[in-house]
């Protein structure tokens, strides 16, 4: 094992978390030393510092990254994040998680991720466009429809994907819709992509309830993060009869033990920019939200929210990881001991990249599917993947994260053995 792959980093550093999760399963699988080390490193990393003209005439230099973790299963795939807390280590972790995510659900992709350190909420649309076009230009050497395909993540939208597609296409001299997914429908986006991550969370939660003997009809749900993942998971679970009792966003949370109407909360958020102040609710903090007694907890915000400090106090039966990396390895241990089922991010939130795959295939073929086709195929892959992971969990008497990692890492390791090492 290389020093780098086992290096001790500050607590809750996402890359340290990702390496701990990986090393744990590499031990279980008894991976050969060379393979183990190969997969512990990102394949390539690009950091760019680039200027953007701001609306007031000043020039700001921004830092961005694009990391390809693994190209073993195919082209690399993964979103681009705009957030003030983006770091190279975070992007590395997110790229590695994408490799395992694509692997566990059987997609022909390796993992990648990108990020720009910026306070996206403070940028105007025009600044966001100039930042996106320049960042795209800077990372163009490692982007392509055959090699590395970005998508939305925290802080980026279908409009941002449209600018990426347009910038890349302008440089090529012809339109390349398959270079990015999560695009608006009118330029080659896929039906169902916006809802896909939340829909996948709903599907895995529904399947897990069958195993937990938990009746989803009337089950109480708390959702941390009311963005593209959390809000959609909330209303789709509500549609199945679940009672969404608490939700939150960056400004705080709201709680009503009698249940909320998730679509009305979404309308309130659209109008006021926050879930706070929704009529008939009590205000709670993001930390309090996680500890509210509920049957299903859906952390859909950022990494490390469930950690060694609060894992012992959660009062839930099922955690569905809408976010990437919301649970630290230390918390995982506590939850395992407490018998709380965790549906890991690489499985629970894979709906997004699955429909990104459908969008990529549609873009390459210039043959487009109906929303029904998309949702039917998404449902089939999510249910199949859930059942495969559950089968490993039962066979090995392991928790769902360990089982998902066993499937994900061994698929990549097997492909690596088959391909061999060049030269
Ligand atoms: N950013 C999303 C994720 O973390 C989607 C990635 C994609 O569609 O390529 O899974």
């Amino acid at each position: 094992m290389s020093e780098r792959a086992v290096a001790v980093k500050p607590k809750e550093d996402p890359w340290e978390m990702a390496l701990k999760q990986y090393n744990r399963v590499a031990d279980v699988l008894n991976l050969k030393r060379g393979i183990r080390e190969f997969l512990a490193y990102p394949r390539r990393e690009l950091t760019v510092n680039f200027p953007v003209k701001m609306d007031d005439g000043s020039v700001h230099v921004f830092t961005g990254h694009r990391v390809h973790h693994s190209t073993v299963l195919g082209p690399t795939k993964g979103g681009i994040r705009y957030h003030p807390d983006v770091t190279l280590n975070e992007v590395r972790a997110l790229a590695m998680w994408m490799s395992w995510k694509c692997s566990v659900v059987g997609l022909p992709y390796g993992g990648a991720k990108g990020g720009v350190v910026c306070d996206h909420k403070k940028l105007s649309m025009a600044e966001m466009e100039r930042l996106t076009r320049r960042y795209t230009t800077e990372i163009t050497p490692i982007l392509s429809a055959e090699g590395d395909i970005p998508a939305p993540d925290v802080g980026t939208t279908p409009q941002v994907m449209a600018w990426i597609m347009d910038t890349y296409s302008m440089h090529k001299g012809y339109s390349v819709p398959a270079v990015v997914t999560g695009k608006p429908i009118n330029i080659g986006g896929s039906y169902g992509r916006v809802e896909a991550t939340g829909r996948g969370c709903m599907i895995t939660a529904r399947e897990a309830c069958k195993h937990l003997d938990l009746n989803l009809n009337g089950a109480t749900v708390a959702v941390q993060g009311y963005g593209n993942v959390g809000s959609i998971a909330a209303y789709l679970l509500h549609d199945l009869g679940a009672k969404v009792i608490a939700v939150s966003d960056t400004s705080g949370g709201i709680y009503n033990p009698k249940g909320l109407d998730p679509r009305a909360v979404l309308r309130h958020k659209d109008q006021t920019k926050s879930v706070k102040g929704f009529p008939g609710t009590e205000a709670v903090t993001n930390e309090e939200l996680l500890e509210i007694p509920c049957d299903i907890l859906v952390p859909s915000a950022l990494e490390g929210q469930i950690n060694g400090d609060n894992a012992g106090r959660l009062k839930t039966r099922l955690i569905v990881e809408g976010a990437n990396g919301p649970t630290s390895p230390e918390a995982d241990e506590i939850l395992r001991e407490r018998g709380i089922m965790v549906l890991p991010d690489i499985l629970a939130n894979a709906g997004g990249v699955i429909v990104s795959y459908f969008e990529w295939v549609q873009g390459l073929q210039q043959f487009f599917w109906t929303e029904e086709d998309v949702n039917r195929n998404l449902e089939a892959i999510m249910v199949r993947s859930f059942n495969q992971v559950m089968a490993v969990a039962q066979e090995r008497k392991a928790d769902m994260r360990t089982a998902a990692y066993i499937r994900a890492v061994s698929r990549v390791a097997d492909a690596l053995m088959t391909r061999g090492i060049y030269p």
Side-chain angles (χ1 to χ4, degrees), residues 77-81 94 98 101-102 109 112-113 149-154 181-182 193 197 322 324 349-357:
K77 188 84 191 78
I80 289 174
R81 176 172 294 198
L94 290 162
M98 283 309 300
K101 191 185 301 188
C102 293
Y109 287 139
K113 206 80 174 196
I149 307 113
D153 197 77
V154 173
T181 61
R193 175 62 186 87
T197 315
N324 291 313
N349 73 36
V353 72
I354 293 170
V355 176
S356 274
Y357 167 61

Side-chain angles (χ1 to χ4, degrees), residues 163-421:
W163 292 323
I164 293 176
M165 182 274 216
D166 185 70
T167 304
Y168 186 85
S169 299
M170 288 301 107
H171 292 153
K172 282 276 162 196
Y174 49 88
S175 290
V176 190
V179 73
V180 64
T181 61
K183 299 179 295 295
I185 304 278
N186 67 347
I187 57 161
S190 177
Y191 287 109
R193 175 62 186 87
V194 170
E195 299 82 15
T197 315
R199 183 173 293 278
C201 290
M202 173 277 284
I203 295 169
T204 50
R206 186 194 68 205
E207 296 305 302
C209 282
K210 295 179 190 162
H211 288 266
L212 290 172
D213 229 356
L214 175 62
N215 190 350
L216 197 46
N217 194 5
T220 52
V221 179
V223 181
Q224 188 199 42
Y226 216 58
N228 184 246
V229 181
S231 64
I232 290 165
Y235 71 65
L236 292 177
L237 286 166
H238 173 84
D239 291 349
L240 294 182
K243 195 159 80 166
V244 178
I245 56 169
V247 305
S248 69
D249 59 26
T250 43
S251 56
I254 53 173
Y255 173 53
N256 180 347
K258 294 202 192 87
L260 305 160
D261 172 353
R263 286 188 180 83
V265 176
L266 198 54
R267 282 193 295 274
H268 176 83
K269 185 176 158 116
D270 283 344
Q271 282 156 12
T272 66
K273 301 269 170 270
S274 148
V275 298
K276 270 175 45 180
F278 184 73
T281 59
E282 187 188 317
V284 288
T285 64
N286 261 294
E287 294 73 35
E288 286 165 347
L289 178 131
L290 295 173
E291 296 177 27
I292 287 173
C294 62
D295 296 311
I296 306 173
L297 178 63
V298 189
S300 327
L302 293 172
E303 301 91 67
Q305 297 296 302
I306 301 173
N307 48 49
D309 297 333
N310 61 8
R313 293 196 299 268
L314 304 192
K315 298 171 202 76
T316 189
R317 292 183 64 189
L318 173 65
I319 296 175
V320 182
E321 294 188 331
N324 291 313
T327 309
S328 74
E330 194 187 346
D332 244 344
E333 205 64 58
I334 297 167
L335 298 170
R336 253 194 298 276
E337 272 164 29
R338 294 188 59 206
I340 296 175
M341 186 190 272
V342 180
L343 297 183
D345 45 7
I346 60 168
L347 176 67
N349 73 36
V353 72
I354 293 170
V355 176
S356 274
Y357 167 61
F358 299 158
E359 180 176 332
W360 181 68
V361 168
Q362 292 172 75
L364 290 175
Q365 299 186 332
Q366 294 293 340
F367 178 76
F368 291 91
W369 307 3
T370 64
E371 186 160 8
E372 251 173 31
D373 294 333
V374 169
N375 287 344
R376 192 183 53 250
N377 283 296
L378 171 63
E379 165 88 20
I381 295 180
M382 289 302 302
V383 172
R384 183 189 68 203
S385 305
F386 177 91
N387 287 334
Q388 287 169 336
V389 171
M390 181 54 89
V392 174
Q394 286 172 340
E395 201 182 291
R396 299 231 184 192
K397 300 199 180 356
D399 60 282
M400 289 294 274
R401 188 181 322 273
T402 307
Y405 266 69
I406 287 174
R407 273 194 70 84
V409 175
S410 51
R411 181 171 171 236
V412 179
D414 283 352
L416 177 56
M417 298 271 268
T418 308
R419 284 180 66 157
I421 301 292

